[in-house]
Amino acid sequence: MGRRWRDGRGELVVHGGDEEPFLRVPLEIAGSYRARTKGLLGRDSIDGAILLSPANSVHTFRMRMPIDVAYLDRRLRVIAVRTMRPGLLGMPRLRARHVVEAEAGVMREWGVREGTRVEVVVRAE
């Protein structure tokens, strides 16, 4: 189940407890090394979230804002959610294959927590 995404845009679909789509969030996709390295660096905000793939850890050095980080396994199930303030190095998650970053506090509002399943819908360009 090795998923590979190209840099681009799409939607992050957050599934509820009954596996029905609960929420759709605008998503930036960072699939290239260059896009993953840049991530949210130098930004003051983000509309929605950004997917870093493949990735199993992040850092917030040179970030301007605190962020929520959701670590996803290969089946796009959330294995951990952390809030990180600027200047931190996150611990790698062994089972993580992808990382979703967003502004601090929004993942709770979106219902993203350990065990939540998400889906990535790529916008056709």
Side-chain angles (χ1 to χ4, degrees), residues 28-50:
E28 293 180 35
I29 300 169
S32 70
Y33 176 78
R34 185 175 188 172
R36 288 192 314 270
T37 302
K38 184 171 184 207
L40 295 177
L41 295 178
R43 297 194 202 183
D44 293 319
S45 66
I46 181 172
D47 177 31
I50 185 170

PDB file of all heavy atoms in Angstrom, residues 28-50:
ATOM      1  N   GLU A  28      -2.861  21.008   0.947  1.00  0.00           N
ATOM      2  CA  GLU A  28      -1.688  21.125   0.079  1.00  0.00           C
ATOM      3  C   GLU A  28      -0.942  19.809   0.201  1.00  0.00           C
ATOM      4  O   GLU A  28      -0.856  19.251   1.291  1.00  0.00           O
ATOM      5  CB  GLU A  28      -0.775  22.264   0.536  1.00  0.00           C
ATOM      6  CG  GLU A  28      -1.371  23.633   0.371  1.00  0.00           C
ATOM      7  CD  GLU A  28      -0.413  24.711   0.852  1.00  0.00           C
ATOM      8  OE1 GLU A  28       0.815  24.551   0.688  1.00  0.00           O
ATOM      9  OE2 GLU A  28      -0.890  25.699   1.405  1.00  0.00           O
ATOM     10  N   ILE A  29      -0.420  19.316  -0.912  1.00  0.00           N
ATOM     11  CA  ILE A  29       0.297  18.045  -0.901  1.00  0.00           C
ATOM     12  C   ILE A  29       1.765  18.308  -1.215  1.00  0.00           C
ATOM     13  O   ILE A  29       2.083  18.903  -2.239  1.00  0.00           O
ATOM     14  CB  ILE A  29      -0.305  17.070  -1.917  1.00  0.00           C
ATOM     15  CG1 ILE A  29      -1.773  16.816  -1.576  1.00  0.00           C
ATOM     16  CG2 ILE A  29       0.494  15.764  -1.941  1.00  0.00           C
ATOM     17  CD1 ILE A  29      -2.539  16.087  -2.654  1.00  0.00           C
ATOM     18  N   ALA A  30       2.627  17.893  -0.293  1.00  0.00           N
ATOM     19  CA  ALA A  30       4.075  18.035  -0.470  1.00  0.00           C
ATOM     20  C   ALA A  30       4.652  16.631  -0.616  1.00  0.00           C
ATOM     21  O   ALA A  30       4.943  15.954   0.380  1.00  0.00           O
ATOM     22  CB  ALA A  30       4.684  18.765   0.724  1.00  0.00           C
ATOM     23  N   GLY A  31       4.795  16.197  -1.867  1.00  0.00           N
ATOM     24  CA  GLY A  31       5.295  14.861  -2.142  1.00  0.00           C
ATOM     25  C   GLY A  31       6.751  14.831  -2.556  1.00  0.00           C
ATOM     26  O   GLY A  31       7.406  13.794  -2.445  1.00  0.00           O
ATOM     27  N   SER A  32       7.274  15.956  -3.003  1.00  0.00           N
ATOM     28  CA  SER A  32       8.684  16.007  -3.412  1.00  0.00           C
ATOM     29  C   SER A  32       9.560  16.371  -2.214  1.00  0.00           C
ATOM     30  O   SER A  32       9.100  16.969  -1.244  1.00  0.00           O
ATOM     31  CB  SER A  32       8.887  17.037  -4.518  1.00  0.00           C
ATOM     32  OG  SER A  32       8.719  18.351  -4.012  1.00  0.00           O
ATOM     33  N   TYR A  33      10.817  16.014  -2.298  1.00  0.00           N
ATOM     34  CA  TYR A  33      11.762  16.343  -1.223  1.00  0.00           C
ATOM     35  C   TYR A  33      11.782  17.849  -0.965  1.00  0.00           C
ATOM     36  O   TYR A  33      11.731  18.285   0.182  1.00  0.00           O
ATOM     37  CB  TYR A  33      13.165  15.839  -1.586  1.00  0.00           C
ATOM     38  CG  TYR A  33      14.196  16.243  -0.566  1.00  0.00           C
ATOM     39  CD1 TYR A  33      14.297  15.542   0.639  1.00  0.00           C
ATOM     40  CD2 TYR A  33      15.047  17.324  -0.789  1.00  0.00           C
ATOM     41  CE1 TYR A  33      15.234  15.919   1.593  1.00  0.00           C
ATOM     42  CE2 TYR A  33      15.977  17.697   0.160  1.00  0.00           C
ATOM     43  CZ  TYR A  33      16.062  16.991   1.343  1.00  0.00           C
ATOM     44  OH  TYR A  33      16.980  17.367   2.292  1.00  0.00           O
ATOM     45  N   ARG A  34      11.816  18.618  -2.017  1.00  0.00           N
ATOM     46  CA  ARG A  34      11.877  20.074  -1.880  1.00  0.00           C
ATOM     47  C   ARG A  34      10.636  20.633  -1.167  1.00  0.00           C
ATOM     48  O   ARG A  34      10.742  21.452  -0.270  1.00  0.00           O
ATOM     49  CB  ARG A  34      12.023  20.711  -3.260  1.00  0.00           C
ATOM     50  CG  ARG A  34      12.202  22.187  -3.220  1.00  0.00           C
ATOM     51  CD  ARG A  34      12.448  22.715  -4.607  1.00  0.00           C
ATOM     52  NE  ARG A  34      12.808  24.116  -4.520  1.00  0.00           N
ATOM     53  CZ  ARG A  34      13.230  24.813  -5.521  1.00  0.00           C
ATOM     54  NH1 ARG A  34      13.363  24.260  -6.707  1.00  0.00           N
ATOM     55  NH2 ARG A  34      13.541  26.064  -5.377  1.00  0.00           N
ATOM     56  N   ALA A  35       9.457  20.184  -1.571  1.00  0.00           N
ATOM     57  CA  ALA A  35       8.216  20.668  -0.950  1.00  0.00           C
ATOM     58  C   ALA A  35       8.117  20.219   0.505  1.00  0.00           C
ATOM     59  O   ALA A  35       7.676  20.984   1.367  1.00  0.00           O
ATOM     60  CB  ALA A  35       7.012  20.182  -1.743  1.00  0.00           C
ATOM     61  N   ARG A  36       8.535  18.979   0.801  1.00  0.00           N
ATOM     62  CA  ARG A  36       8.501  18.496   2.188  1.00  0.00           C
ATOM     63  C   ARG A  36       9.461  19.287   3.056  1.00  0.00           C
ATOM     64  O   ARG A  36       9.149  19.611   4.198  1.00  0.00           O
ATOM     65  CB  ARG A  36       8.859  17.006   2.252  1.00  0.00           C
ATOM     66  CG  ARG A  36       7.780  16.105   1.724  1.00  0.00           C
ATOM     67  CD  ARG A  36       8.051  14.633   2.064  1.00  0.00           C
ATOM     68  NE  ARG A  36       9.409  14.188   1.827  1.00  0.00           N
ATOM     69  CZ  ARG A  36       9.864  13.668   0.692  1.00  0.00           C
ATOM     70  NH1 ARG A  36       9.041  13.552  -0.345  1.00  0.00           N
ATOM     71  NH2 ARG A  36      11.106  13.261   0.577  1.00  0.00           N
ATOM     72  N   THR A  37      10.638  19.607   2.517  1.00  0.00           N
ATOM     73  CA  THR A  37      11.631  20.357   3.279  1.00  0.00           C
ATOM     74  C   THR A  37      11.116  21.750   3.621  1.00  0.00           C
ATOM     75  O   THR A  37      11.325  22.236   4.724  1.00  0.00           O
ATOM     76  CB  THR A  37      12.947  20.457   2.478  1.00  0.00           C
ATOM     77  OG1 THR A  37      13.404  19.141   2.193  1.00  0.00           O
ATOM     78  CG2 THR A  37      14.002  21.203   3.258  1.00  0.00           C
ATOM     79  N   LYS A  38      10.423  22.376   2.695  1.00  0.00           N
ATOM     80  CA  LYS A  38       9.887  23.717   2.943  1.00  0.00           C
ATOM     81  C   LYS A  38       8.686  23.678   3.884  1.00  0.00           C
ATOM     82  O   LYS A  38       8.582  24.459   4.820  1.00  0.00           O
ATOM     83  CB  LYS A  38       9.502  24.395   1.639  1.00  0.00           C
ATOM     84  CG  LYS A  38       9.034  25.798   1.879  1.00  0.00           C
ATOM     85  CD  LYS A  38       8.840  26.565   0.621  1.00  0.00           C
ATOM     86  CE  LYS A  38       8.455  27.990   1.029  1.00  0.00           C
ATOM     87  NZ  LYS A  38       7.688  28.671   0.083  1.00  0.00           N
ATOM     88  N   GLY A  39       7.744  22.770   3.630  1.00  0.00           N
ATOM     89  CA  GLY A  39       6.582  22.628   4.499  1.00  0.00           C
ATOM     90  C   GLY A  39       5.906  23.958   4.790  1.00  0.00           C
ATOM     91  O   GLY A  39       5.558  24.706   3.885  1.00  0.00           O
ATOM     92  N   LEU A  40       5.744  24.262   6.067  1.00  0.00           N
ATOM     93  CA  LEU A  40       5.100  25.509   6.491  1.00  0.00           C
ATOM     94  C   LEU A  40       6.108  26.583   6.904  1.00  0.00           C
ATOM     95  O   LEU A  40       5.717  27.610   7.458  1.00  0.00           O
ATOM     96  CB  LEU A  40       4.144  25.235   7.662  1.00  0.00           C
ATOM     97  CG  LEU A  40       2.949  24.347   7.348  1.00  0.00           C
ATOM     98  CD1 LEU A  40       2.134  24.088   8.604  1.00  0.00           C
ATOM     99  CD2 LEU A  40       2.083  24.983   6.277  1.00  0.00           C
ATOM    100  N   LEU A  41       7.387  26.359   6.637  1.00  0.00           N
ATOM    101  CA  LEU A  41       8.405  27.332   7.038  1.00  0.00           C
ATOM    102  C   LEU A  41       8.154  28.691   6.399  1.00  0.00           C
ATOM    103  O   LEU A  41       7.846  28.793   5.218  1.00  0.00           O
ATOM    104  CB  LEU A  41       9.799  26.846   6.637  1.00  0.00           C
ATOM    105  CG  LEU A  41      10.271  25.577   7.337  1.00  0.00           C
ATOM    106  CD1 LEU A  41      11.635  25.174   6.808  1.00  0.00           C
ATOM    107  CD2 LEU A  41      10.313  25.773   8.830  1.00  0.00           C
ATOM    108  N   GLY A  42       8.248  29.730   7.216  1.00  0.00           N
ATOM    109  CA  GLY A  42       8.105  31.094   6.727  1.00  0.00           C
ATOM    110  C   GLY A  42       6.678  31.572   6.576  1.00  0.00           C
ATOM    111  O   GLY A  42       6.438  32.683   6.143  1.00  0.00           O
ATOM    112  N   ARG A  43       5.705  30.752   6.927  1.00  0.00           N
ATOM    113  CA  ARG A  43       4.300  31.151   6.791  1.00  0.00           C
ATOM    114  C   ARG A  43       3.749  31.622   8.138  1.00  0.00           C
ATOM    115  O   ARG A  43       4.153  31.153   9.187  1.00  0.00           O
ATOM    116  CB  ARG A  43       3.444  29.983   6.316  1.00  0.00           C
ATOM    117  CG  ARG A  43       3.820  29.478   4.956  1.00  0.00           C
ATOM    118  CD  ARG A  43       2.722  28.592   4.475  1.00  0.00           C
ATOM    119  NE  ARG A  43       3.188  27.686   3.446  1.00  0.00           N
ATOM    120  CZ  ARG A  43       2.403  26.847   2.821  1.00  0.00           C
ATOM    121  NH1 ARG A  43       1.126  26.778   3.135  1.00  0.00           N
ATOM    122  NH2 ARG A  43       2.861  26.061   1.880  1.00  0.00           N
ATOM    123  N   ASP A  44       2.775  32.517   8.033  1.00  0.00           N
ATOM    124  CA  ASP A  44       2.088  32.995   9.231  1.00  0.00           C
ATOM    125  C   ASP A  44       0.794  32.240   9.475  1.00  0.00           C
ATOM    126  O   ASP A  44       0.221  32.300  10.560  1.00  0.00           O
ATOM    127  CB  ASP A  44       1.775  34.495   9.113  1.00  0.00           C
ATOM    128  CG  ASP A  44       3.049  35.327   9.113  1.00  0.00           C
ATOM    129  OD1 ASP A  44       3.965  35.011   9.900  1.00  0.00           O
ATOM    130  OD2 ASP A  44       3.128  36.282   8.323  1.00  0.00           O
ATOM    131  N   SER A  45       0.285  31.559   8.447  1.00  0.00           N
ATOM    132  CA  SER A  45      -0.960  30.807   8.580  1.00  0.00           C
ATOM    133  C   SER A  45      -1.089  29.842   7.402  1.00  0.00           C
ATOM    134  O   SER A  45      -0.307  29.899   6.461  1.00  0.00           O
ATOM    135  CB  SER A  45      -2.165  31.745   8.619  1.00  0.00           C
ATOM    136  OG  SER A  45      -2.309  32.398   7.373  1.00  0.00           O
ATOM    137  N   ILE A  46      -2.101  28.985   7.479  1.00  0.00           N
ATOM    138  CA  ILE A  46      -2.414  28.081   6.375  1.00  0.00           C
ATOM    139  C   ILE A  46      -3.931  27.883   6.358  1.00  0.00           C
ATOM    140  O   ILE A  46      -4.559  27.774   7.407  1.00  0.00           O
ATOM    141  CB  ILE A  46      -1.691  26.721   6.500  1.00  0.00           C
ATOM    142  CG1 ILE A  46      -2.042  25.825   5.304  1.00  0.00           C
ATOM    143  CG2 ILE A  46      -1.978  26.060   7.817  1.00  0.00           C
ATOM    144  CD1 ILE A  46      -1.244  24.549   5.223  1.00  0.00           C
ATOM    145  N   ASP A  47      -4.468  27.864   5.162  1.00  0.00           N
ATOM    146  CA  ASP A  47      -5.892  27.592   4.995  1.00  0.00           C
ATOM    147  C   ASP A  47      -6.047  26.091   4.812  1.00  0.00           C
ATOM    148  O   ASP A  47      -5.745  25.550   3.755  1.00  0.00           O
ATOM    149  CB  ASP A  47      -6.440  28.337   3.771  1.00  0.00           C
ATOM    150  CG  ASP A  47      -7.907  28.029   3.523  1.00  0.00           C
ATOM    151  OD1 ASP A  47      -8.634  27.773   4.501  1.00  0.00           O
ATOM    152  OD2 ASP A  47      -8.329  28.032   2.353  1.00  0.00           O
ATOM    153  N   GLY A  48      -6.432  25.400   5.850  1.00  0.00           N
ATOM    154  CA  GLY A  48      -6.552  23.952   5.791  1.00  0.00           C
ATOM    155  C   GLY A  48      -5.331  23.285   6.376  1.00  0.00           C
ATOM    156  O   GLY A  48      -4.925  23.582   7.494  1.00  0.00           O
ATOM    157  N   ALA A  49      -4.733  22.368   5.598  1.00  0.00           N
ATOM    158  CA  ALA A  49      -3.615  21.566   6.103  1.00  0.00           C
ATOM    159  C   ALA A  49      -2.632  21.281   4.980  1.00  0.00           C
ATOM    160  O   ALA A  49      -2.902  21.550   3.812  1.00  0.00           O
ATOM    161  CB  ALA A  49      -4.146  20.261   6.686  1.00  0.00           C
ATOM    162  N   ILE A  50      -1.487  20.712   5.362  1.00  0.00           N
ATOM    163  CA  ILE A  50      -0.491  20.277   4.391  1.00  0.00           C
ATOM    164  C   ILE A  50      -0.108  18.834   4.718  1.00  0.00           C
ATOM    165  O   ILE A  50       0.065  18.477   5.882  1.00  0.00           O
ATOM    166  CB  ILE A  50       0.753  21.197   4.381  1.00  0.00           C
ATOM    167  CG1 ILE A  50       1.728  20.799   3.258  1.00  0.00           C
ATOM    168  CG2 ILE A  50       1.437  21.239   5.725  1.00  0.00           C
ATOM    169  CD1 ILE A  50       2.861  21.795   3.025  1.00  0.00           C
TER     170      ILE A  50
END
